[in-house]
Amino acid sequence: NAGVIQTPRHKVTGKGQEATLWCEPISGHSAVFWYRQTIVQGLEFLTYFRNQAPIDDSGMPKERFSAQMPNQSHSTLKIQSTQPQDSAVYLCASSLDFNQDTQYFGPGTRLLVL
Amino acid sequence: GEKVEQHESTLSVREGDSAVINCTYTDTASSYFPWYKQEAGKSLHFVIDIRSNVDRKQSQRLIVLLDKKAKRFSLHITATQPEDSAIYFCAASSDYNQGKLIFGQGTKLSIKP
């Protein structure tokens, strides 16, 4: 079992550019979560999917952030018109089921917006 | 909304002693409380969890206690070893949030020889 896979591991973008982050959940897991980690804000929930359907995006910054899960094997987090304050480690996690099952985290994508 | 407070930002204990990290939460509907370990430069690694139907859970050297009345839970690491050094995060979720984790700020645990 390879665990949750995230690509790229590091990404540097210029202000105003677009960034797309990829996540491959553990095979057979039905729930996929996205979190963001910064020194100042700590770990923040962004959004999650259950069986590919979006369930809760209450943590997503409005307008520029979007997430999709086109199939059971991957999810994407897209940030349009990136800003320096978007710099963070973006973590993807998956769980066997959605309801308070153990979430297993990927290695994260470190995004730096210059 | 739900908040989780982690009381110790740093903690230093001597190797072989016990370490205790305390967290409190605000939402009385919280019912699931996992703990994660993050080593330098790495991601979150699940270590242990507890659900609201019990008040104690142990896995080898790790013990989690839950006091629902006080809305407090704690991680006890017994017989600490150098490899226990890391940042530990507590988290909570409620039935209505269905898995969405609210994290504490993290406790940096250092094990001194």
Side-chain angles (χ1 to χ4, degrees):
Chain A
N1 189 332
V4 176
I5 298 172
Q6 289 189 251
T7 55
R9 295 291 307 275
H10 302 271
K11 185 172 183 65
V12 180
T13 66
K15 180 179 175 181
Q17 292 185 331
E18 182 178 286
T20 300
L21 314 180
W22 291 69
C23 170
E24 181 179 329
I26 294 171
S27 178
H29 281 194
S30 67
V32 172
F33 302 81
W34 285 94
Y35 296 87
R36 177 168 68 177
Q37 185 175 28
T38 61
I39 298 294
V40 174
Q41 298 294 333
L43 282 155
E44 302 174 284
F45 167 82
L46 294 176
T47 185
Y48 91 92
F49 297 83
R50 181 193 178 202
N51 292 327
Q52 299 171 232
I55 301 298
D56 182 347
D57 67 353
S58 59
M60 294 277 272
K62 302 306 178 188
E63 297 178 355
R64 299 188 296 107
F65 282 61
S66 63
Q68 293 183 331
M69 192 162 185
N71 57 60
Q72 64 184 9
S73 65
H74 89 273
S75 174
T76 58
L77 179 68
K78 183 181 290 187
I79 309 171
Q80 295 178 311
S81 186
T82 54
Q83 303 297 311
Q85 61 265 31
D86 299 332
S87 297
V89 176
Y90 289 83
L91 295 165
C92 177
S94 71
S95 65
L96 194 60
D97 199 352
F98 71 100
N99 195 12
Q100 301 181 336
D101 207 348
T102 303
Q103 294 182 29
Y104 297 93
F105 282 78
T109 294
R110 185 175 296 274
L111 175 67
L112 177 62
V113 182
L114 300 176
Chain B
E2 164 77 289
K3 288 185 179 179
V4 176
E5 296 284 343
Q6 204 159 337
H7 296 197
E8 301 84 5
S9 58
T10 61
L11 181 62
S12 181
V13 301
R14 195 166 299 279
E15 183 178 350
D17 289 349
S18 292
V20 182
I21 302 172
N22 296 285
C23 290
T24 53
Y25 58 97
T26 58
D27 190 347
T28 53
S30 292
S31 56
Y32 174 63
F33 308 91
W35 288 86
Y36 287 86
K37 176 182 181 181
Q38 187 173 39
E39 296 177 82
K42 296 189 177 180
S43 188
L44 298 175
H45 176 75
F46 171 79
V47 291
I48 192 170
D49 60 12
I50 191 167
R51 299 175 192 276
S52 58
N53 59 340
V54 297
D55 55 18
R56 185 183 191 277
K57 182 175 180 179
Q58 181 166 0
S59 173
Q60 299 181 320
R61 296 186 297 108
L62 302 177
I63 300 169
V64 181
L65 302 178
L66 174 63
D67 181 344
K68 292 187 290 291
K69 183 177 286 188
K71 288 188 280 187
R72 181 174 59 221
F73 58 113
S74 57
L75 174 67
H76 300 244
I77 306 173
T78 62
T80 53
Q81 300 171 0
E83 55 265 34
D84 295 329
S85 294
I87 299 175
Y88 289 82
F89 292 92
C90 62
S93 77
S94 59
D95 287 339
Y96 61 82
N97 274 334
Q98 297 185 357
K100 167 183 172 180
L101 294 177
I102 305 300
F103 284 90
Q105 300 92 323
T107 295
K108 184 174 183 179
L109 175 63
S110 300
I111 307 299
K112 294 187 172 182

